[in-house]
Amino acid sequence: LLLLLLVLLALLVLLVLLLFWYSYVLDWYCRLQMHVSVDNYPPFDDVAANMKRLAALGLEIQITEMDVHCVPPCGADRLKTQAAIYGGMLQVCLNQPNCTSFEMWGFTDRYTSAWNAHYNPTHVNMQPLPWDINYKEKPAFFELLAVLSH
């Protein structure tokens, strides 16, 4: 019986040590992937409320894989909407102290995953990023810059 108690105590100590170790090894992040489109994206207030809830849990929040698909025809009005979405999401992140990263899913439409045959079998250029296929800045680039400049 004594041997069994010692083994159980040793296992309990090992479990506590492992949990202590994992608390330093595991990242306590909540990454919000933002693959959205000009036609379908979450309201900024909803994202801000969700970030507030996650921050209250003590989590570090990151917006990752941000891209805003603009399915053709993607004229000036839709590119303006795309820019507003990029800028709005960046502002939401900047307003939340626990939001530590805003990452785009690339920077140019030339090398975007939106060309992926699984998601885009017809290979339509969905223009999801702030630079076009010729590395020319789109309105989203200037909107991001404006948000960061304030």
Side-chain angles (χ1 to χ4, degrees):
L1 183 63
L2 183 60
L3 182 61
L4 179 62
L5 288 174
L6 288 174
V7 169
L8 289 175
L9 182 61
L11 288 174
L12 182 60
V13 168
L14 180 62
L15 179 63
V16 169
L17 289 173
L18 283 173
L19 289 174
F20 183 72
W21 180 73
Y22 276 124
S23 71
Y24 287 101
V25 173
L26 292 178
D27 54 15
W28 299 99
Y29 300 100
C30 182
R31 294 177 178 100
L32 304 176
Q33 291 187 9
M34 284 288 170
H35 298 291
V36 299
S37 75
V38 296
D39 302 311
N40 187 19
Y41 60 94
F44 305 132
D45 289 342
D46 289 357
V47 175
N50 197 29
M51 284 186 175
K52 183 177 180 181
R53 180 183 62 82
L54 294 166
L57 296 172
L59 296 173
E60 188 173 313
I61 306 151
Q62 299 176 346
I63 291 181
T64 64
E65 301 182 22
M66 180 81 200
D67 60 0
V68 183
H69 292 196
C70 188
V71 179
C74 190
D77 286 346
R78 289 172 63 77
L79 288 174
K80 187 175 179 181
T81 300
Q82 181 188 57
I85 295 167
Y86 268 109
M89 289 298 176
L90 177 57
Q91 190 62 61
V92 167
C93 183
L94 291 172
N95 290 344
Q96 172 50 252
N98 280 34
C99 188
T100 60
S101 181
F102 181 89
E103 303 168 25
M104 292 176 288
W105 197 230
F107 72 96
T108 174
D109 294 337
R110 180 178 293 270
Y111 299 110
T112 175
S113 65
W115 291 106
N116 182 309
H118 176 72
Y119 299 107
N120 185 7
T122 58
H123 297 289
V124 172
N125 182 2
M126 292 191 264
Q127 306 177 48
L129 298 167
W131 282 266
D132 70 13
I133 61 171
N134 297 312
Y135 301 99
K136 185 176 185 292
E137 300 94 344
K138 295 180 349 195
F141 167 81
F142 297 105
E143 183 65 23
L144 290 166
L145 194 59
V147 170
L148 291 171
S149 297
H150 286 106

